């Protein structure tokens, strides 16, 4: 009988991957995917905030002031290397510039590619590499950028100039989402240059911003959902046993994925409200199953932080409302309560039937809201100083969304809070209003 083959000296001996190694490899893969998606989301939220800030400044600022502000923010806040705004049908006038390197706007303005963009009103993206054409390379040299976008600022058939922005790092390129952002910003500046004043024109600006955040949210929703499902599959042991240390890391990753998913949902819902495209469907809905679902979704976060979650609600309570939007409101309130409560803290939901109607009281044991800042709680993008110090992440969208949905669903939202002593938010549907349908979002 033949002797078993003996591996030759120096040859690697193939070994089967163990269950633990499979879990570790999948964990690293999903962690990298989650980090990349998180970076994209943070970047797009920053861009959306920039659009909001620049648009708000247009209501009162002078043209030069607003354009200089836009160029300054693009470089100092969003970390682009240079920005140039040229005005006029042929981009002959300097609107604003901000760059860490000296530029010659007059030479750039007469460049044939800039004239081409103005004439054809078609943007271009240039990468200064081996495939770069002569005209593109010469423009890159004038701008001192290695990758840049030139976007026409046009509105209703009229070109008001061009927006030029890019990066000087030879190893970093503009991403498609950056170009999408430049297009919307270029249109926003064009609308400002046209001195838009009517309500209809203002609606167009708001729609552009809502379309952008809707685009970003839809792009991120699918990969985040896939990551959540993959992490759940691993945690449930489908791929094999998971060590306790690995389970803790996986649970942390899943918490981040859930937070990101909720942020995306809030941004998308806000976009739909502001664009007037939100769909409202009133129907009778049992309240307790909705609250049970929310607490079940928050279970992993609660266990990770060792927080106590309690619910007191009569099984018979029924609201005539939009079930999906009501769940969106309550999810944001519960998530906020858990986020700002300490490890080992307590969050409770108590539903009461009062003279004013059905009220849901979400109480936490968290940091509270400083009295001087309480009037701004429902403002868009607002976060109290103590909230920023405790948790760096956060968009300031959640409570703004809750207040907006409360109006749509004919309900009211209020709160009582004391710094370092916790907060209680109360969402109430009056006995008459929760049976009254109102499909208007205006």
């Amino acid at each position: 009988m033949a002797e078993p083959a003996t591996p030759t000296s120096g040859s690697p001996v193939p070994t089967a991957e163990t269950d633990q190694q499979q879990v570790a490899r999948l964990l690293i893969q999903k962690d990298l995917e989650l980090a990349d998606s998180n970076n994209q989301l943070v970047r797009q939220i920053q861009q959306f905030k920039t659009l909001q800030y620049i648009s708000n400044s247009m209501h009162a600022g002078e043209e030069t002031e607003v354009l200089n502000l836009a160029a300054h923010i693009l470089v100092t806040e969003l970390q682009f290397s240079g920005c140039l705004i040229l005005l006029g049908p042929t981009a002959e006038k300097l609107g604003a510039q901000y760059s860490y390197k000296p530029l010659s706007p007059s030479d750039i303005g007469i460049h044939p590619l800039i004239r081409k963009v103005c004439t054809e009103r078609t943007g271009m993206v240039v990468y200064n590499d081996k495939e770069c054409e002569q005209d593109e390379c010469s423009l890159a040299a004038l701008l001192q950028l290695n990758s840049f976008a030139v976007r026409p600022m046009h509105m209703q058939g009229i070109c008001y100039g061009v927006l030029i922005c890019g990066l000087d790092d030879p190893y970093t390129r503009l991403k498609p989402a950056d170009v999408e952002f430049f297009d919307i910003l270029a249109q926003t500046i064009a609308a400002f240059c046209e001195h838009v004043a009517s309500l209809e024109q203002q609606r167009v600006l708001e729609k552009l911003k809502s379309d952008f955040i809707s685009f970003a949210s839809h792009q991120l929703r699918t990969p985040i959902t896939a990551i959540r499902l993959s992490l759940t599959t691993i945690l449930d042991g489908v791929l094999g046993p998971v060590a306790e240390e690995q389970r803790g890391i996986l649970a942390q990753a899943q918490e981040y994925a859930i937070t990101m998913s909720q942020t995306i949902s809030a941004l998308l819902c806000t976009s739909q409200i502001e664009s007037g495209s939100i769909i409202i469907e009133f129907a009778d809905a049992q309240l307790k199953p909705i609250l049970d679902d929310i607490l079940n979704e928050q279970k992993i976060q609660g266990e990770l932080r060792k927080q106590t979650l309690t619910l007191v609600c009569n099984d018979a309570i029924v609201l005539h409302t939009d079930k999906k939007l009501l769940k969106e409101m309550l999810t944001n309130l519960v998530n906020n309560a858990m986020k700002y409560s300490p490890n080992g803290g307590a969050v409770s939901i108590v539903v009461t039937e009062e003279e004013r109607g059905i009220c849901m009281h979400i109480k936490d044991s968290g940091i509270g809201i400083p009295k001087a800042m309480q009037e701004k709680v429902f403002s868009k993008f607002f976060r109290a100083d103590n909230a920023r110090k405790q948790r760096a992440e956060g968009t300031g969208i959640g409570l703004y969304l809750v207040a907006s949905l409360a109006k749509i669903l004919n309900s009211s939202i209020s709160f009582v809070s004391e710094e370092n002593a916790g907060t209680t938010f109360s969402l109430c549907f009056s006995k008459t209003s929760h049976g009254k349908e109102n499909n208007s979002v205006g």
Side-chain angles (χ1 to χ4, degrees):
M1 182 166 58
E3 293 293 329
T6 303
T8 59
S9 176
S11 300
V13 180
T15 57
E17 191 178 49
T18 66
D19 288 341
Q20 293 289 0
Q21 289 172 327
Q22 284 183 342
V23 170
R25 177 171 53 79
L26 287 170
L27 174 60
I28 293 171
Q29 178 185 338
K30 296 306 174 186
D31 191 54
L32 290 173
E33 291 176 3
L34 183 62
D36 184 63
S37 295
N38 184 60
N39 289 336
Q40 289 184 51
L41 179 61
V42 170
R43 179 72 169 171
Q44 289 171 333
I45 288 174
Q46 287 178 326
Q47 292 176 348
F48 181 62
K49 285 184 176 181
T50 298
L51 281 171
Q52 180 77 29
Y53 186 69
I54 293 173
S55 295
N56 288 342
S57 71
M58 290 177 178
H59 295 297
E62 295 293 329
E63 182 180 81
T64 302
E65 178 185 352
V66 171
L67 296 181
N68 281 325
L69 174 67
H72 182 270
I73 290 177
L74 288 173
V75 176
T76 60
E77 298 290 334
L78 296 184
Q79 303 300 309
F80 293 108
S81 304
C83 176
L84 185 64
I85 300 173
L86 299 175
L87 302 177
T90 57
E92 69 275 7
K93 176 186 174 184
L94 174 64
Q97 71 173 31
Y98 199 97
S99 174
Y100 296 121
K101 297 179 180 179
L103 300 177
S104 176
S106 57
D107 292 336
I108 295 169
I110 62 174
H111 193 280
L113 289 184
I114 300 297
R115 294 294 174 89
K116 182 180 179 181
V117 169
C118 290
T119 303
E120 298 180 359
R121 298 176 202 149
T122 302
M124 61 184 299
V125 180
V126 175
Y127 300 108
N128 191 13
D129 52 26
K130 294 180 180 179
E131 298 177 7
C132 184
E133 296 180 2
Q134 184 176 351
D135 280 347
E136 294 176 341
C137 290
S138 65
L139 182 55
L142 285 172
L143 293 168
Q144 300 190 62
L145 297 173
N146 276 287
S147 67
F148 60 90
V150 183
R151 315 313 287 179
M153 303 187 303
H154 62 91
M155 185 70 63
Q156 297 182 12
I158 301 174
C159 181
Y160 292 94
V162 295
L163 168 68
I164 308 170
C165 199
L167 299 165
D168 60 9
D169 185 350
Y171 303 104
T172 306
R173 288 191 166 201
L174 293 177
K175 294 180 171 58
D178 293 326
V179 179
E180 176 82 12
F181 165 68
F182 293 149
D183 280 336
I184 295 174
L185 179 58
Q187 291 182 64
T188 302
I189 295 174
F192 174 62
C193 292
E194 195 185 35
H195 299 289
V196 179
S198 69
L199 289 176
E200 177 58 25
Q201 290 167 322
Q202 181 62 36
R203 188 193 66 79
V204 171
L205 289 176
E206 294 298 329
K207 186 176 184 302
L208 287 171
K209 291 184 293 183
S210 295
D211 286 348
F212 173 73
I213 199 63
S214 179
F215 166 82
S217 299
H218 280 298
Q219 289 292 101
L220 290 167
R221 174 174 278 185
T222 300
I224 290 300
T225 300
I227 290 170
R228 286 183 63 181
L229 291 174
S230 298
L231 290 170
T232 300
T233 300
I234 297 172
L235 279 168
D236 289 344
V238 175
L239 299 176
V242 181
E244 196 61 34
E245 287 185 2
Q246 293 175 331
R247 181 173 295 278
I249 297 173
L250 284 165
Q252 184 76 56
Q254 191 173 53
E255 180 190 9
Y256 289 144
I258 290 171
T259 299
M260 288 177 63
S261 179
Q262 291 170 345
T263 299
I264 291 168
S265 178
L267 288 168
L268 188 57
C269 191
T270 300
S271 171
Q272 291 170 341
I273 292 173
E274 293 180 341
S275 66
S277 62
I278 193 167
I279 298 173
I280 309 167
E281 297 178 347
F282 282 90
D284 287 341
Q286 281 191 294
L287 183 56
K288 191 170 186 300
I290 296 174
L291 293 168
D292 285 335
D293 284 347
I294 293 171
L295 291 185
N296 187 54
E297 291 170 358
Q298 304 292 334
K299 183 179 178 182
I300 292 177
Q301 291 179 325
E303 290 176 349
L304 197 64
R305 298 173 183 165
K306 295 180 172 56
Q307 292 175 337
T308 303
L309 308 179
T310 58
L311 170 63
V312 178
C313 179
N314 190 318
D315 290 344
I317 294 179
V318 174
L319 291 177
H320 188 74
T321 187
D322 186 298
K323 180 179 177 181
K324 181 180 177 182
L325 298 182
L326 174 62
K327 185 176 180 181
E328 184 74 40
M329 297 169 73
L330 292 169
T331 297
N332 274 281
L333 291 172
V334 173
N335 182 257
N336 246 32
M338 295 176 64
K339 183 189 298 183
Y340 295 111
S341 289
N343 292 343
V347 174
S348 67
I349 307 173
V350 178
V351 182
T352 59
E353 297 184 68
E354 308 171 12
E355 286 188 10
R356 54 177 170 167
I358 307 298
C359 293
M360 290 142 272
H361 306 283
I362 295 88
K363 182 179 181 179
D364 64 50
S365 55
I367 59 177
I369 305 166
K371 189 172 182 180
M373 297 184 171
Q374 292 186 4
E375 63 179 18
K376 300 179 181 179
V377 161
F378 297 113
S379 300
K380 195 173 185 181
F381 298 129
F382 172 77
R383 297 184 71 215
D385 290 343
N386 57 345
R388 292 176 183 274
K389 290 177 183 177
Q390 176 176 317
R391 296 179 69 95
E393 73 272 14
T395 62
I397 283 285
L399 292 178
Y400 168 79
L401 175 60
V402 169
S404 300
L405 289 176
K407 293 179 182 178
I408 293 172
L409 298 182
N410 307 303
S411 57
S412 65
I413 180 72
S414 59
F415 69 94
V416 291
S417 182
E418 183 178 344
E419 194 168 4
N420 300 318
T423 303
T424 300
F425 280 91
S426 298
L427 175 63
C428 297
F429 289 78
S430 70
K431 292 180 180 178
T432 54
S433 70
H434 79 76
K436 176 184 175 184
E437 297 192 11
N438 173 16
N439 293 306
S440 170
V441 296

